[in-house]
Amino acid sequence: MTVVSLSLGNFQLLLMRLISFDPFRSLGMPGVTYIKAELVFAQRELIDAADWLIFPEYWQVNSLVYAYKKRIFPSINSYHLGHDKIEMTRAFQALVPRNVPDTKILASTPSHCDDILDTWIFPFVAKEARSSMGRGVFLIENRHDFSRYAKANSILYLQEYLPITRDLRVVYIGDRVITAYWRQAPIQGFHNNVAQGGTISYADIPNQALQLVDKVAQGLGINHAGFDVAEVDGQYYLLEFNTLFGNLGLTEQGIDSGAIIMDYLRRQTVSNG
């Protein structure tokens, strides 16, 4: 086990034993021991000795937290809510209902589909519960689009269409907002994601959106996420968050996310013992 020595103010030396299951996301973080995810049960002694287990795969988290009683980063809240957009949206609705687009979550039955077609106006947005980088998000413009989506999904996850050509990615690491940037959709594009051809702008970032993300992250116990926020006529809407988000917006600004994570883990270790 590699031991990381960190200075804690001018008074105390803190030794943290860290294990990572993702060599790429922990790249550049000093002194972290890497274990392949599939070896997690074979390396029980190392696991037991660790202060933190960072970036486990989703299938590992229940065993690590509930069976092994270990601290993980990102938090189990981040993993559980980030894994399923439906559960995420319901948590948003419970915490900040005014900041969630009009949403319907229903079983994909013939009667529910008929109700949607009778009461919702095209276009609207349909989503799959588990997807990222803009995949699994569809603009429904007519009955044919909706029928194809409904046949392919057992759950209808529908949201009102917001008339936007960009959204705001707000990066939250540890206990604070780290950066934010606009993602502009390509001409005639529907998705704003950089992975789908969107471009980045760091100009004129609204403080209200940052405050909203801070409130939600603190309220839900999220400590590593890229939140997507839309603005319509001065009203801010939470679209979703991704626990394992892309780092392009951070690297372009020279932000060292590893150092931020290490500082957060150090402070959490001190405060919680």
Side-chain angles (χ1 to χ4, degrees):
M1 170 67 65
T2 303
V3 177
V4 181
S5 297
L6 294 174
S7 176
L8 180 61
N10 296 319
F11 306 101
Q12 185 179 2
L13 186 67
L14 171 68
L15 302 178
M16 287 197 303
R17 293 176 293 271
L18 306 174
I19 286 177
S20 172
F21 297 99
D22 188 329
F24 299 105
R25 290 192 175 272
S26 55
L27 189 66
M29 297 176 66
V32 176
T33 296
Y34 167 63
I35 294 178
K36 291 183 178 180
E38 59 267 26
L39 298 179
V40 61
F41 301 123
Q43 297 288 348
R44 180 64 188 271
E45 290 187 6
L46 286 176
I47 298 293
D48 284 343
D51 296 302
W52 289 91
L53 310 176
I54 61 176
F55 296 112
E57 294 186 11
Y58 184 80
W59 64 265
Q60 295 176 279
V61 298
N62 287 345
S63 298
L64 296 176
V65 173
Y66 301 128
Y68 288 178
K69 312 301 182 186
K70 300 303 295 184
R71 292 183 292 194
I72 66 170
F73 180 89
S75 66
I76 197 163
N77 309 50
S78 303
Y79 275 102
H80 282 171
L81 292 176
H83 188 64
D84 188 299
K85 292 182 182 180
I86 291 174
E87 299 304 321
M88 179 193 307
T89 298
R90 286 173 172 153
F92 289 165
Q93 289 174 319
L95 189 64
V96 287
R98 295 184 61 189
N99 299 105
V100 181
D102 186 18
T103 303
K104 290 289 185 184
I105 301 170
L106 302 164
S108 184
T109 64
S111 62
H112 285 153
C113 289
D114 288 342
D115 287 343
I116 292 298
L117 291 173
D118 289 341
T119 58
W120 276 50
I121 299 174
F122 298 115
F124 53 84
V125 176
K127 298 181 179 181
E128 295 175 349
R130 297 175 182 176
S131 60
S132 63
M133 295 187 293
R135 295 189 293 265
V137 180
F138 311 100
L139 181 63
I140 305 299
E141 298 184 279
N142 51 53
R143 286 176 172 265
H144 174 72
D145 289 347
F146 180 64
S147 176
R148 183 169 55 184
Y149 164 79
K151 288 178 181 179
N153 292 273
S154 60
I155 300 295
L156 304 176
Y157 173 26
L158 312 174
Q159 289 188 326
E160 66 175 304
Y161 172 75
L162 300 177
I164 60 173
T165 59
R166 64 178 186 173
D167 64 13
L168 192 67
R169 165 58 60 88
V170 182
V171 177
Y172 194 94
I173 300 178
D175 51 11
R176 65 187 188 275
V177 170
I178 300 303
T179 189
Y181 50 89
W182 292 105
R183 303 182 306 175
Q184 179 73 43
I187 296 175
Q188 295 184 338
F190 169 59
H191 299 90
N192 301 320
N193 308 72
V194 175
Q196 298 281 351
T199 56
I200 289 177
S201 170
Y202 302 99
D204 301 321
I205 303 300
N207 191 54
Q208 301 98 309
L210 308 187
Q211 292 174 340
L212 173 62
V213 166
D214 185 68
K215 175 181 179 179
V216 170
Q218 294 284 346
L220 298 179
I222 308 302
N223 63 7
H224 189 269
F227 286 83
D228 298 339
V229 182
E231 184 270 328
V232 179
D233 297 329
Q235 173 71 8
Y236 293 91
Y237 296 94
L238 283 165
L239 303 178
E240 61 181 76
F241 71 80
N242 292 292
T243 303
L244 302 180
F245 51 88
N247 286 327
L248 178 61
L250 280 70
T251 56
E252 283 191 351
Q253 298 177 86
I255 296 172
D256 185 351
S257 60
I260 295 169
I261 293 169
M262 294 287 284
D263 174 70
Y264 172 74
L265 297 181
R266 173 184 59 79
R267 290 186 285 109
Q268 291 298 303
T269 302
V270 172
S271 62
N272 297 327

